[in-house]
Amino acid sequence: MATAHLNDITLHYVEDGDPEGAPLVFINSLGTDVRVWDDVLPLLPKGLRIIRFDKRGHGQSDCPPAPYAMGTLVRDTETLLDHLEVKDAVLVGLSIGGMITQGLAVKRLDLVRAMVLSNTAAKIGQPSMWQDRITALQAGGMEALVDNILERWFTKAFRESDAAGVWRQRLLDTPLEGYIGCCHAIAGTDFYTPTSGLRLPTLGIAGSDDGSTPADLVRETTDLVPGSKFKLIRRAGHIPCVEQPETYAEALTHFLQEIGHV
Ligand SMILES: O=C(O)CC1=CCC(=O)O1
């Protein structure tokens, strides 16, 4: 297991592909870890340096006490990429990972060559909605919300398939403190103004059945960046890299080719 001991945190990360290749960095969503990309990676072009990591409070990374600030999640990512001597990466950010992507692009454009804003937005929900979620989690744990969350993550057909149980269990295994910490970070984030100032190649990806960041919302954020592209993935909810990995990998590959990253 690879870990990076950064200033105040140890993060778990995984590198695949060619260590000398152009960097492609994946940033996971709330309640998922590096395994959320497992089915996409084998479908991507060879020759890339592929980096995935568990943000604080998730997977095998440290889990400090909640709350977390978005600035802290951005700084963790920045410090990890500096530690790994990564520059000019394409960042693929899923949901809160897409918020971290926007924050990092605003702060350190030298690290970010292009953004893939997957199932994300400049602002997700209202602070009161996140506070309600935090209160429910504190009262009843993840068990209280797991089915509700899965309804937003996946289509009915996927939820009724054998694969769904794995994702249910992974969500239940997510440290509650880490999950709540990240809910606070999302609640406090509104990147509309900073993201509007970004000028870099950008692809938005949305799921037709996304119950958390509907396609219109993803498009609205993607449109903040002039010249951005947009891909709607059908028969997918909030986590299309799990539900439709072939279409997801195809969209990513096309974008990477278009910008000359592969
Ligand atoms: O609503 C959810 O649980 C999905 C979600 C919102 C932000 C994120 O990262 O995942």
Side-chain angles (χ1 to χ4, degrees):
M1 170 169 126
T3 50
H5 305 287
L6 309 175
N7 296 337
D8 63 339
I9 189 122
T10 297
L11 295 184
H12 165 241
Y13 69 94
V14 183
E15 282 213 46
D16 293 284
D18 181 351
E20 303 301 321
L24 181 63
V25 177
F26 288 91
I27 313 181
N28 318 327
S29 59
L30 183 64
T32 66
D33 60 32
V34 292
R35 295 172 294 182
V36 78
W37 308 106
D38 278 354
D39 292 342
V40 168
L41 261 51
L43 306 174
L44 295 176
K46 305 291 165 231
L48 289 159
R49 179 184 180 196
I50 299 176
I51 296 164
R52 309 177 257 171
F53 68 98
D54 291 329
K55 66 186 158 297
R56 65 172 58 210
H58 283 69
Q60 298 175 69
S61 288
D62 282 355
C63 182
Y68 310 154
M70 183 56 67
T72 305
L73 299 176
V74 169
R75 194 191 59 223
D76 287 348
T77 311
E78 173 188 12
T79 314
L80 176 68
L81 296 188
D82 281 340
H83 174 82
L84 297 175
E85 299 186 345
V86 169
K87 288 254 186 236
D88 296 321
V90 174
L91 262 51
V92 183
L94 178 64
S95 200
I96 186 175
M99 294 180 129
I100 297 169
T101 298
Q102 294 166 64
L104 189 60
V106 168
K107 188 176 181 189
R108 288 285 305 275
L109 202 51
D110 61 312
L111 298 179
V112 189
R113 180 174 174 215
M115 308 191 286
V116 178
L117 300 179
S118 178
N119 306 79
T120 190
K123 176 175 163 65
I124 301 179
Q126 295 299 326
S128 60
M129 180 205 101
W130 289 104
Q131 190 50 57
D132 289 350
R133 193 185 295 202
I134 291 164
T135 304
L137 288 164
Q138 284 166 335
M142 191 60 86
E143 274 290 353
L145 293 190
V146 66
D147 291 321
N148 192 262
I149 293 170
L150 290 173
E151 273 184 31
R152 294 192 293 270
W153 278 15
F154 299 123
T155 60
K156 188 164 183 284
F158 188 89
R159 278 184 275 122
E160 288 172 355
S161 74
D162 291 344
V166 172
W167 293 98
R168 186 174 205 284
Q169 191 54 51
R170 287 180 183 176
L171 183 52
L172 289 171
D173 291 344
T174 302
L176 195 60
E177 190 75 12
Y179 188 97
I180 288 175
C182 287
C183 287
H184 281 283
I186 298 168
T189 300
D190 180 347
F191 278 145
Y192 270 101
T193 304
T195 297
S196 307
L198 287 171
R199 300 289 178 269
L200 74 170
T202 299
L203 169 67
I205 296 182
S208 58
D209 296 73
D210 187 337
S212 294
T213 50
D216 284 354
L217 182 69
V218 181
R219 179 148 223 161
E220 191 188 352
T221 291
T222 309
D223 281 350
L224 295 175
V225 186
S228 60
K229 304 279 165 46
F230 181 79
K231 168 77 182 173
L232 177 69
I233 300 187
R234 298 195 184 280
R235 295 181 301 282
H238 189 59
I239 321 270
C241 49
V242 167
E243 214 168 348
Q244 299 293 344
E246 290 86 4
T247 314
Y248 200 91
E250 219 175 273
L252 268 187
T253 302
H254 186 250
F255 179 63
L256 294 171
Q257 285 167 341
E258 225 172 40
I259 63 169
H261 207 66
V262 288

